[in-house]
């Protein structure tokens, strides 16, 4: 299993867009232009959310594939760079659906009904039947998109803050319920989105037919701007105007230089600037941004296959990263993908028991984070090595926080002995195992030892008399709550236990000896 820890030193960012066809200036200024900048500072994942499109547009999917391609072409034309970001299609990475299903199991219905866009969209899109399971559940799919990559930051507008908040709640619930820290709680990275009105003065939107396309030709952009509304102002050019009430004035604020914007404002208010010249200036400013994007799009359109190829490759890259998280999630939920994890000896013959000590089948656990590795090993030990008839029950229903990396619990044996079970930490030296044990009174220590050079599980059940004296001595010299370092070393065929530098004690006879638990 590949290393699941965050590999890049840059924080990871994820964002997506529904494929609704070619993008317009509002999409560009509201998100895409910012994403292009983020590529230098963050490890970026950008995805085309085609499954999200189905949550509202499930009835007519005829344009879905074409729209997906259009979005990809516009992204590339605008400067998203597959060399610096991972750019992929959501439905090419099935792990999004798998995680959504799993998180859906534990997400309370009330959380979804409270998401503000749930009611709003049902009212706004009244021509569509949105009383569907998919539409109610789309925030879970969105949370899965984010958590699947263990994302730290999500660039959003203010109106999407509720989705990030829900994602944080889902992550918290999962981590707490399953005593893990697999999902970081993502932070919202607010994107400045300047006011950009459409050609008729309403919010720029494809559905209003008032949008200026990001990759339209310069002539088409100029024509649209030339035909723009002035907000009903300056019917006579001798009338002074208010550029703050005019969509063309808005374009200047977003696309023109500070000097030109100031000059335009002055000329408009004094009626010394004719609207047609103001619009020509605005068109020039817009085209200075969109011209290169338009040219790049034309170039990409002549090589569509390359874009599909890029999406396929990048989706595979995304799926590889997503799979790292899913391996952890499946393991946390005890799903049986990893056959080693469910291996269990059904007879207790000496041969079977011997086989159970061989961990080479599950050597990939070594790459898990320490807490996860410890959990796997303890579960394995309980399933495969603990003799039938010896039952251990967990001592408390302690709630773990995401900061609790230890996840080590004392257990009670049948005869109410307090048994502490712990697993060896990284010690690259062959046949040497290192442990840290809380300075508390346990009646039996269970030390589970393995390391990278030897995938053989050595299990020791150590009653108090072997360690009580050295342990009491060690406690005196350590600070409150400090754990006691314990070293186990194999030397000349004997296993020697040393507690915080004390004289080693030979515990060879305790190897796989479960007598202390009876
Ligand atoms: S001068 Fe420019 S900003 Fe003023 S009303 Fe005319 S088009 Fe609008």
């Amino acid at each position: 299993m590949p290393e699941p820890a965050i590999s890049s030193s840059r924080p990871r960012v994820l964002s997506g867009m529904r494929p609704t066809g070619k993008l317009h200036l509002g999409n560009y200024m509201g998100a895409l232009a910012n994403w292009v900048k983020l590529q230098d500072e963050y490890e970026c994942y950008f995805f085309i959310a085609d499954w999200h499109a189905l949550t509202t547009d499930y009835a007519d999917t005829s344009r879905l594939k074409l729209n997906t391609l259009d979005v990809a072409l516009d992204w590339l034309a605008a400067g998203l760079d597959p060399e610096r970001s991972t750019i992929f299609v959501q439905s090419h990475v099935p792990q999004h659906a798998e995680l959504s299903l799993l998180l859906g199991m534990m997400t309370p219905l009330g959380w979804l009904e409270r998401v503000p866009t749930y009611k709003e969209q049902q009212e706004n899109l009244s021509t569509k039947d949105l009383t569907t399971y998919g539409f109610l559940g789309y925030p879970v799919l969105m949370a899965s998109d984010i958590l699947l990559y263990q994302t730290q930051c999500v660039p959003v507008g203010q109106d999407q803050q509720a989705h990030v908040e829900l994602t944080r709640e889902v992550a918290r619930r999962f981590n707490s319920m399953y005593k893990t820290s697999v999902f970081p709680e993502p932070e919202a990275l607010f994107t400045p989105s300047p006011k950009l009105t459409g050609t008729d003065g309403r919010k720029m939107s494809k559905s209003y037919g008032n949008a200026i396309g990001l990759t339209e030709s310069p002539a088409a952009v100029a024509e649209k701007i030339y035909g723009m509304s002035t907000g009903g102002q300056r019917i006579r050019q001798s009338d002074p105007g208010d550029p703050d009430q005019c969509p063309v004035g808005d374009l200047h604020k977003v696309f023109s230089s500070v000097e030109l914007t100031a000059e335009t404002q002055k000329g408009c208010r004094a009626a010394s600037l004719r609207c047609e010249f103001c619009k020509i200036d605005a068109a020039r400013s817009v085209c200075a941004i969109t011209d290169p994007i338009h040219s790049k799009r034309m170039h990409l359109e002549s090589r569509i296959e390359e874009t599909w190829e890029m999406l396929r490759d990048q989706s595979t890259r995304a799926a590889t990263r997503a799979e790292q998280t899913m391996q952890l999630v499946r393991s946390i939920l005890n799903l049986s993908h990893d056959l080693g994890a469910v291996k269990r000896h059904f007879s207790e013959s000496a041969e079977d028991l011997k086989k159970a000590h061989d961990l080479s089948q599950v050597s990939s656990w070594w790459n898990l984070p320490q807490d996860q590795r410890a959990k796997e090993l303890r579960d394995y030990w309980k399933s495969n090595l603990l003799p039938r008839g010896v039952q251990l029950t967990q001592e408390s229903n302690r709630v773990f926080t995401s900061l609790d990396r230890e996840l080590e619990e004392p257990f009670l044996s049948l005869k109410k002995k307090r048994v502490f079970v712990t697993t060896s930490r990284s010690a690259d030296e062959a046949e040497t195992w290192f442990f840290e044990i809380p300075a508390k009174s346990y009646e039996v220590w269970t030390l589970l030892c393995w390391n990278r050079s030897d995938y053989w599980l050595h299990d020791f059940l150590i009653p108090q008399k072997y360690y009580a004296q050295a342990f009491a001595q060690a406690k005196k010299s350590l600070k409150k709550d400090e754990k006691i370092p314990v070293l186990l070393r194999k030397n000349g065929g004997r296993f020697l236990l040393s507690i915080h530098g004390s004289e080693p004690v030979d515990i060879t006879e305790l190897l796989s000896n479960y007598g202390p638990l009876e």
Side-chain angles (χ1 to χ4, degrees), residues 230 233-234 241-243 246 248-249 264 268 273-275 278-279:
T230 57
Q233 307 183 80
R234 304 201 55 199
D242 180 356
C246 174
V248 184
T264 303
C268 176
L273 172 67
R274 293 183 66 82
C275 289
C278 175
K279 288 176 178 179

Side-chain angles (χ1 to χ4, degrees), residues 161-186:
Q161 193 179 358
H163 292 125
V164 179
E165 196 39 57
L166 182 88
T167 303
R168 291 167 60 84
E169 282 183 82
V170 170
R172 218 173 293 143
R173 186 172 169 89
F174 185 96
N175 289 343
S176 153
M177 189 172 283
Y178 303 111
K179 304 176 173 113
T180 179
S181 54
V182 67
F183 294 130
E185 289 180 34

Side-chain angles (χ1 to χ4, degrees), residues 456-468:
W456 194 263
L457 177 60
H458 301 281
D459 48 343
F460 292 90
L461 289 293
I462 309 173
Q464 227 171 15
K465 64 178 181 188
Y466 281 79
Y467 60 80

